[in-house]
Amino acid sequence: MGWNNILLEKEDNLAVMTINRPKVLNALNGETLRELDEAVEQIAADDEVRVVIITGAGEKAFVAGADIAFMQTLTPLEARQFSRLGQKVFSKIENLPQPVIAAINGFALGGGCELAMACDIRIASENAKLGQPEVNLGIIAGFGGTQRLPRLVNPGLAKEILFTADMYDAEAAHRIGLVNHVVPAAELMNFCKNMARRIAARGPIAVRLSKEAVNEGLEMDLEKAIAHEADLFAVAFATEDRNEGISAFLAKKKPEFKNK
């Protein structure tokens, strides 16, 4: 499928999705979000894809935010529709069956930080900058940032980030738990692809069930969450991959998972 603002490439069991608007630092407008939605739907339906990497085109930005020029003329009703579109697409990314790694190769501000937070794992290059600067424009984060940020860092720190519009470099973002790792810019994609390949080599159904257990369990109290875990544990035992994994372990050989 041809898109104006999104590139989607497959490498074996990996999919690499690139926001491709480098002239505007990959800022998100309505068209880009709709194309991203289509790309995510395509990935969700592709059983060959076991891990997804999302990044931005160029060397300056992952996604510098929502497209401010696009937002300038929005009415309050249109702004709500734009917010709901972004929320819908980012929730789809968060709930993809496959793990999603954000390769943060520069500015991840506003909607870009929100996109990164919708991913499962965040890897930042040393030149990355993260933050939620919306209050500088007299608006608030609208693509889920006010909700995902306090779930990733503590609520008090999330409020500080949202209220001050301060920008965090990669090391500071790592210290507060907003990113998992910081690597040199030249090594970012190789680092992400190596991690993706390690994940892809594991039992794919087990990986998906692990993601489901974490995502859904976070919205439950502990008693319900561990009961849900037990249900998913039982689901794993109904798969051919479970038989292969345990048999291979006992035979001291490498398992050959078939995603069944």
Side-chain angles (χ1 to χ4, degrees):
M1 186 178 294
W3 296 298
N4 294 321
N5 307 299
I6 302 292
L7 300 176
L8 182 60
E9 301 169 297
K10 283 177 60 176
E11 300 179 18
D12 300 321
N13 297 120
L14 313 183
V16 179
M17 187 188 309
T18 305
I19 313 300
N20 187 33
R21 303 185 75 210
K23 290 183 179 179
V24 290
L25 300 180
N26 304 317
L28 301 172
N29 58 11
E31 180 185 48
T32 305
L33 286 173
R34 285 187 289 272
E35 291 182 357
L36 186 58
D37 189 29
E38 292 175 3
V40 170
E41 291 280 357
Q42 184 172 316
I43 288 170
D46 191 337
D47 290 337
E48 293 182 353
V49 174
R50 295 190 181 181
V51 187
V52 182
I53 298 171
I54 297 179
T55 194
E59 299 178 355
K60 294 182 178 180
F62 173 70
V63 169
D67 190 323
I68 296 173
F70 172 80
M71 292 194 297
Q72 185 177 20
T73 60
L74 295 181
T75 66
L77 179 58
E78 290 169 338
R80 185 180 187 277
Q81 291 170 339
F82 185 50
S83 173
R84 292 297 291 159
L85 174 60
Q87 290 172 353
K88 180 189 79 167
V89 176
F90 290 5
S91 290
K92 283 186 178 181
I93 291 169
E94 186 174 52
N95 293 308
L96 269 172
Q98 303 96 333
V100 184
I101 300 171
I104 306 170
N105 56 313
F107 291 111
L109 304 174
C113 189
E114 290 170 298
L115 173 58
M117 289 190 290
C119 298
D120 299 298
I121 298 169
R122 284 157 293 283
I123 313 299
S125 64
E126 290 176 335
N127 64 321
K129 305 283 186 182
L130 295 90
Q132 298 290 159
E134 286 87 351
V135 294
N136 282 332
L137 304 175
I139 61 176
I140 71 169
F143 294 164
T146 64
Q147 305 308 308
R148 288 192 178 93
L149 189 56
R151 286 166 166 80
L152 283 171
V153 303
N154 70 69
L157 184 52
K159 290 176 183 178
E160 179 180 338
I161 294 168
L162 291 163
F163 298 169
T164 64
D166 286 346
M167 196 181 304
Y168 288 70
D169 64 25
E171 290 295 343
H174 182 247
R175 283 197 301 272
I176 64 175
L178 191 52
V179 302
N180 297 58
H181 300 278
V182 178
V183 299
E187 299 174 16
L188 177 64
M189 286 308 294
N190 281 338
F191 186 96
C192 291
K193 287 180 180 180
N194 286 337
M195 177 180 285
R197 291 188 185 103
R198 294 201 308 276
I199 295 171
R202 312 313 179 204
I205 297 173
V207 170
R208 293 198 299 271
L209 292 173
S210 295
K211 175 171 177 172
E212 181 181 341
V214 173
N215 283 1
E216 296 189 0
L218 283 171
E219 305 304 320
M220 304 175 183
D221 63 47
L222 183 58
E223 184 175 353
K224 291 179 180 177
I226 59 176
H228 185 50
E229 178 188 75
D231 291 339
L232 297 177
F233 186 71
V235 170
F237 269 70
T239 66
E240 293 181 23
D241 280 356
R242 183 274 274 190
N243 294 331
E244 171 64 16
I246 292 178
S247 297
F249 177 83
L250 294 174
K252 297 183 179 179
K253 66 178 185 178
K254 186 177 179 179
E256 296 182 8
F257 295 116
K258 297 180 179 178
N259 199 18
K260 295 181 179 179

